[in-house]
């Protein structure tokens, strides 16, 4: 199976460098303090993702640009989340302390750190950084304090054949969220009070762009008189007139902020997880709706689609997900796993949509 995924990615390498930038992440907090990190993952091909459970005491080693041994560590905390391309690294998930991490595509913007041979012992490839965070830290404050000691240079991800441009959102069990980006060769860590992330450009640009939408709101506007003419809204929802509805990262960022800041309060984690999936329904991309104007060299249409959507309950330690081919929400409970196992446990995410026939 792993060889099959390598072959499919080799054939579709051009897809990753063009149309793979439509992920959307949100954060919600319930009345009981449950924090939910949720996101969509879009790519132009199926990543073949599975749920991984990484135990405590698992030995790791980072990857360097020149093939030398990178940073070594042993996981302090067990973690759970989804991978991709058959690799043993988590792309989105959380650890036993309730710290979550999400890797998001960041094309045309991410530029990694310079590298010297003497940096090898502190070096990690960017696709390894998320797992490093989950396996070593319990809060965003710990991440902010220690991330500056890690060298993240440009390293080719052999499964895809190029250096993946990405950035990260990290959220802890108290709802504190940060964004980690590598811009012009330097590390940048931004506080993220809204808990929202999409893709390019940089996070600070998206926060500035929100100032273009100060009139958006869930409340129905009042009837106004303009030049003696009474203007009354046609129907409910007029407070969101002007909300951008396309699939571009800036528009999705604004839309995610509008929805997450306007929903009614939720009581607990499970209720909030369901609310998160409802919000992310608005970012679901059907195959073909967001495509490149040309085909690849094999004649394939290059189009993003929502391969899976996940929600992490950082209090209950439960990882929820659904996939493009199966919209039924499924869950893996970290509390019920052996956190001291010797190996990584893999749980398949694939499956076909169950359709239940109803009869009188």
């Amino acid at each position: 199976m792993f060889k099959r995924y390598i072959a499919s990615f080799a054939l579709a390498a051009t897809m990753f460098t063009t149309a793979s930038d439509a992920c959307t992440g949100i954060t919600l907090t319930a009345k009981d303090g449950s924090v939910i990190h949720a996101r969509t993952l879009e790519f132009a091909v199926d990543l073949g993702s599975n749920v991984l459970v990484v135990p405590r005491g698992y030995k790791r080693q980072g990857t360097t640009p020149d093939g030398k041994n990178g940073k070594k560590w042993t996981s302090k905390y067990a973690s759970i989340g989804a991978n991709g391309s058959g690799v043993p690294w988590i792309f989105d998930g959380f650890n036993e302390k309730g710290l979550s991490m999400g890797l998001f595509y960041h094309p045309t913007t991410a530029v990694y750190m310079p590298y010297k041979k003497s940096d090898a012992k502190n070096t990690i490839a960017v696709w390894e950084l998320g797992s490093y965070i989950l396996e070593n830290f319990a809060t965003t404050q710990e991440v902010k304090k220690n991330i500056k000691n890690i060298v993240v240079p440009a390293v080719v991800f052999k499964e895809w054949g190029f250096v993946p441009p990405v950035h990260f959102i990290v959220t802890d069990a108290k709802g504190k969220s940060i964004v980690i980006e590598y811009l012009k060769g330097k590390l940048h860590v931004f506080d993220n009070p809204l808990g929202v992330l999409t893709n390019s450009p940089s996070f600070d640009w998206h926060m500035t762009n929100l100032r273009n939408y100060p009139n958006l709101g869930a409340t129905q506007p009042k009837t106004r008189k303009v030049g003696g003419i009474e203007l009354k809204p046609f129907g409910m929802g007029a407070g969101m007139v002007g909300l951008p509805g396309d699939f571009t990262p800036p528009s999705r960022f604004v839309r995610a902020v509008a929805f997450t800041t306007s929903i009614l309060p939720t009581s607990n984690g499970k209720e909030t997880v369901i609310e998160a999936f409802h919000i992310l329904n608005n970012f679901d991309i059907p195959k073909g709706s967001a495509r490149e104007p040309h085909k690849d060299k094999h004649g394939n249409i290059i189009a993003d689609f929502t391969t899976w959507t996940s929600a992490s309950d950082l209090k209950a330690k439960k990882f929820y997900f659904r996939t493009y081919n199966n919209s039924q929400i499924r869950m893996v409970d970290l509390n019920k796993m052996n956190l001291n196992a010797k190996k990584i446990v893999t749980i398949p995410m694939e499956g076909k949509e169950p359709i239940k026939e109803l009869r009188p």
Side-chain angles (χ1 to χ4, degrees):
M1 181 178 290
F2 183 55
K3 291 181 178 179
R4 176 169 59 85
Y5 285 130
I6 292 177
S8 65
F9 282 104
L11 288 173
T14 55
M15 294 184 179
F16 288 106
T17 58
T18 53
S20 310
D21 56 355
C23 303
T24 302
I26 62 174
T27 306
L28 301 176
T29 302
K31 289 180 180 179
D32 71 352
S34 297
V35 175
I36 309 301
H37 159 68
R39 58 93 54 83
T40 66
L41 184 137
E42 281 79 16
F43 256 81
V45 295
D46 190 340
L47 284 175
S49 297
N50 292 306
V51 175
L52 303 184
V53 180
V54 183
R56 305 172 187 137
Y58 191 77
K59 296 186 181 301
R60 296 283 206 181
Q61 184 161 20
T63 305
T64 65
D66 58 7
K68 292 183 177 294
N69 292 334
K71 184 175 180 61
K72 295 181 180 180
W73 74 92
T74 300
S75 59
K76 181 178 180 181
Y77 303 118
S79 55
I80 184 172
N83 73 338
S85 305
V87 299
W89 305 96
I90 290 176
F91 290 1
D92 191 274
F94 62 89
N95 67 17
E96 61 182 286
K97 293 296 183 180
L99 182 73
S100 72
M101 172 282 306
L103 175 154
F104 286 67
Y105 220 61
H106 207 208
T108 73
T109 305
V111 178
Y112 299 116
M113 303 168 75
Y115 172 77
K116 307 185 300 293
K117 291 183 178 180
S118 58
D119 293 328
K121 64 180 180 179
N122 294 315
T123 296
I124 295 175
V126 71
W127 65 87
E128 301 163 341
L129 182 60
S131 286
Y132 174 78
I133 289 171
L134 296 184
E135 293 167 13
N136 287 280
F137 307 116
T139 66
T140 52
Q141 189 60 38
E142 288 184 18
V143 176
K144 290 173 71 173
K145 180 180 178 181
N146 292 281
I147 191 68
K148 61 180 179 292
N149 300 320
I150 302 301
V151 178
V152 180
V155 183
V156 174
F157 186 48
K158 64 180 182 179
E159 282 75 18
W160 298 350
F162 64 93
V163 179
V166 300
H167 59 169
F168 300 83
I169 183 171
V170 179
T171 306
D172 62 28
K174 293 185 177 180
K176 298 293 184 181
S177 181
I178 60 174
V179 171
I180 298 170
E181 295 183 343
Y182 294 91
L183 308 171
K184 297 181 179 179
K186 294 182 179 181
L187 167 69
H188 292 258
V189 179
F190 302 97
D191 289 324
N192 185 358
L194 299 172
V196 167
L197 189 65
T198 55
N199 314 101
S200 295
S202 60
F203 178 75
D204 55 343
W205 185 97
H206 285 289
M207 293 298 288
T208 300
N209 185 52
L210 287 177
R211 296 171 62 183
N212 287 316
Y213 303 90
N215 296 319
L216 290 179
T219 305
Q220 189 77 344
K222 296 180 179 179
T223 299
R224 295 181 58 190
K225 285 189 176 181
V226 178
I229 299 175
E230 189 176 79
L231 299 179
K232 184 177 181 179
F234 281 113
M236 188 62 73
M240 290 288 188
V241 169
L243 182 69
D246 59 78
F247 293 130
T248 63
S251 293
R252 286 184 286 105
F253 191 96
V254 173
R255 204 155 70 248
V257 170
F259 293 149
T260 57
T261 57
S262 64
I263 62 169
L264 295 175
T266 50
S267 299
N268 52 53
K270 185 175 181 180
E271 185 178 316
T272 310
V273 164
I274 298 301
E275 197 67 33
F277 278 106
H278 279 300
I279 290 174
L280 292 177
N281 283 339
N282 294 275
F283 302 88
D284 206 20
I285 301 178
K287 290 182 180 180
S289 297
R291 65 174 76 181
E292 292 291 332
H294 58 274
K295 296 181 179 181
D296 70 6
K297 62 182 180 181
H298 304 287
N300 299 310
I301 294 174
I302 306 172
D304 268 11
F305 66 98
T306 304
T307 61
W308 49 261
T309 301
S310 68
S312 298
D313 186 332
L314 306 185
K315 181 179 180 181
K317 311 298 190 308
K318 295 178 179 180
F319 183 76
Y320 298 80
F321 68 92
R322 67 186 183 201
T323 62
Y324 191 87
N325 293 321
N326 186 355
S327 61
Q328 183 182 47
I329 298 173
R330 287 151 282 167
M331 182 271 290
V332 182
D333 189 342
L334 183 62
N335 301 296
K336 296 180 179 179
M337 305 301 293
N338 180 5
L339 304 188
N340 295 306
K342 300 301 182 182
K343 298 180 179 180
I344 293 176
V345 174
T346 301
I347 301 169
M349 295 176 70
E350 271 305 310
K352 294 184 178 180
E353 182 79 34
I355 299 176
K356 185 176 181 179
E357 180 182 356
L358 301 180
R359 296 183 181 182

